[in-house]
Amino acid sequence: MNLPAINSFDSEFSESDANVGQKWDKWLARLEIYLLALNITQDARKRAVLLHTAGPRSFEIFESLANTGDTYDQAKLALTTYFRPKVSVEYERAMFRSLRQKSGEKLDVYHSRCRKAVASCNFPAASVDAELKSHIIQTTDDDKIRKMGLKDDNAPKPQNPKYMKIYK
């Protein structure tokens, strides 16, 4: 199989980039697909491809890190820890709670935007859907959704697909 080379991670970030963690995660996901497509399963080869394709700056960073181990997973963890900034849960929750539905934004688009934001909030898994539902009910521009949501929790849920995502 002859696949085009994967872009290096170095070409996708700058040191001052606030989104470097997100860019790393996306690049790493593409690398995983690349390794799979080339059927690279041997740990030493996976590690070598990671370090080579990350690029020269990333390799220099890697060499400066402690505890990089000898395996692909250890190298990946070391670089992920470096590139992914420490997340402030309170900040992420504040950002989630500050989201508002944009004028003319469809409900499913707003729902997707909120679902993406809530993923960084570190809510207990059992309460994520409830947090999401409450937030959308409180911040939507759609009065019909707000009124339905503010009714009794045991009220029948709407059957319109437009509302089904929120009222699971």
Side-chain angles (χ1 to χ4, degrees), residues 66-167:
N67 303 321
T68 57
D70 298 319
T71 67
Y72 169 74
D73 285 337
Q74 291 168 329
K76 184 171 74 169
L77 178 62
L79 286 168
T80 298
T81 301
Y82 178 85
F83 287 122
R84 191 182 296 150
K86 300 289 184 243
V87 175
S88 164
V89 171
E90 290 305 320
Y91 174 80
E92 295 298 329
R93 289 179 180 182
M95 296 310 301
F96 166 66
R97 290 193 173 115
S98 72
L99 289 176
R100 299 293 179 262
Q101 189 173 12
K102 297 174 185 173
S103 178
E105 183 177 34
K106 292 184 176 185
L107 181 62
D108 59 338
V109 172
Y110 181 51
H111 179 268
S112 294
R113 199 162 49 93
C114 289
R115 179 151 306 275
K116 183 176 179 182
V118 81
S120 302
C121 293
N122 203 25
F123 289 122
S127 70
V128 169
D129 286 338
E131 291 284 349
L132 187 60
K133 178 182 169 185
S134 277
H135 180 76
I136 290 175
I137 288 167
Q138 295 170 28
T139 61
T140 185
D141 285 346
D142 190 325
D143 289 334
K144 190 173 184 178
I145 289 180
R146 187 176 303 105
K147 286 176 185 174
M148 283 188 290
L150 294 174
K151 287 182 181 179
D152 179 23
D153 284 341
N154 297 320
K157 307 304 181 215
Q159 296 305 308
N160 184 331
K162 176 179 178 182
Y163 307 114
M164 301 273 296
K165 281 186 182 177
I166 297 165
Y167 294 97

